[in-house]
Amino acid sequence: MLAKQPFARRIVIAFTLMTLAVSGMFSLGIVAVVHFIEEHLVTEELGRELDIVLNEDLRRGVAPRLDSSTVFYASDRPQYAVPEELAGLPEGFTEWVRGDEAYYVYAREIAGERYLLVQEQHEFESRENALFNVVLAGFLLSVVGAWVLGRLMARTVMAPVTRLAQQVRHRDQLHPLAPPLALQYPDDEVGHLAAAFDSTLGQLRQTLDRERLFTADVSHELRTPLMVILGACELLDQAELPGKSGTQAQRIERAAKEMHELVQTFLMLARARPEQTALGGSASLASVAEEQAERWEPLMRDKGLSFEVITEGDSAGEYNHTLLSTVMSNLLRNALHYTETGTVCLILERTGFRVEDTGVGIPLDQQQLMFQPFVRGAEARGEGLGLGLSLVKRICAHQSWQVGVQQREPQGSCFRVRLNGDA
């Protein structure tokens, strides 16, 4: 359980537990030493007093000269008869308790006779209690002091680590001109950690740079042949082609436009920050929905499906035209591929849109997997690679949008996209 605690808290706990153990052992040692010294001193004192009573007072025939807290008993003298409860005590020093009273008893046996001195503990007990209270107070104060000192030390120790974590977490660290972190720390464990982060961040910067350059190069190289294809398609549209040839030309033109949109989308996703994708132009949700309806309704109709655009709410936001079109287009394409009969609906909401179909649906245990790359459903259609929904998920994450899917009853799927903020 301790390993699951924050590192600063672990320092405080370890510091407090160490002090608790050391201070506890020290306090118990003090109590044991005090008890040993008490027994030794009381034994010497009572033994000395008993010698005086036996060798001086009783030989001269006078009463034992003892203070009011000490009583003398002797088995051979009726006036000092030994009480029955003390008769069975062993020789030497013993602590005897009767009710709420505690006594020191020192017994000695001479020629078959027993002699005892019994002394009340009131004075020693009060001193013991005072000493024990002092020890207990010192123990508690040491534990509290260790907790306070542990917090101060944990804060001091963790300050450079916390600062380093904030610097690493800051997105500007991926900027090529970001200064090295190790130069800001001494040559200690934190400095070595900062140097390791510098090395890792440097490799990450190189990887990101290569990805951006690759995406830019591919996009640039693909644009030229795509524009040639689109120009040829325009010329074919102006010519009078036979039925099948005209249809094939339209398919080529449609595929070229889709590829051109994908190139634009990948180029935008390769940019470092979502706000830089504003270069793709902005559009309202309704205008994008109208464009996609014009594009997909003929394909839906050719397959025998009913296609509807339903407006449940008006979204006042402006969004990146290319990215929003790609998301909506991929969801409509997915619905077209996986719906054999029935209806496909594009439903506009105040906070986004939904694409509902009456297709085969997605089992509950596969709904999250469908957004991973190269994952296709059990009822896969066409020659796709399973990248459409993955691209949708990536665009939504890039733009801080939310996408989810749920099962429709009695069959079909519902993909919901929530659009947050303006592009």
Side-chain angles (χ1 to χ4, degrees), residues 163-177:
R163 177 190 170 199
L164 177 60
Q166 293 175 348
Q167 290 176 318
V168 173
R169 191 181 301 116
H170 200 281
R171 63 189 182 187
D172 287 342
Q173 285 299 324
L174 293 177
H175 195 279
L177 299 180

Side-chain angles (χ1 to χ4, degrees), residues 35 58 90-91 98 111 113 136 140 153 168 176 181 187 223 242 262-263 265 305 309 312 335 339 353 374 389 413:
H35 182 74
L58 294 182
E91 277 193 274
R98 181 176 63 182
E113 301 295 338
L136 178 61
L140 296 177
M153 291 189 63
V168 173
L181 298 172
D187 187 17
R223 282 178 179 176
L262 284 175
V263 168
T265 300
L305 301 177
V309 178
E312 293 184 352
T339 305
F353 66 93
F374 306 107
L389 293 181
S413 302

Side-chain angles (χ1 to χ4, degrees), residues 128-143:
E128 274 189 346
N129 290 335
L131 177 62
F132 292 158
N133 289 335
V134 171
V135 172
L136 178 61
F139 171 73
L140 296 177
L141 287 175
S142 65
V143 174

Side-chain angles (χ1 to χ4, degrees), residues 241-259:
L241 297 176
K244 289 186 177 181
S245 299
T247 302
Q248 294 297 328
Q250 292 177 357
R251 292 182 60 184
I252 294 173
E253 183 179 9
R254 184 166 57 249
K257 288 181 178 179
E258 290 179 5
M259 186 174 293

Side-chain angles (χ1 to χ4, degrees), residues 393-411:
K393 183 72 173 181
R394 184 179 175 186
I395 293 174
C396 290
H398 189 272
Q399 294 295 105
S400 298
W401 299 341
Q402 299 176 7
V403 59
V405 59
Q406 61 187 26
Q407 194 78 6
R408 288 191 65 199
E409 296 297 338
Q411 69 175 31

Side-chain angles (χ1 to χ4, degrees), residues 76-91:
D76 60 346
R77 297 177 182 273
Q79 66 274 30
Y80 303 114
V82 179
E84 293 183 3
E85 58 266 28
L86 299 177
L89 294 179
E91 277 193 274

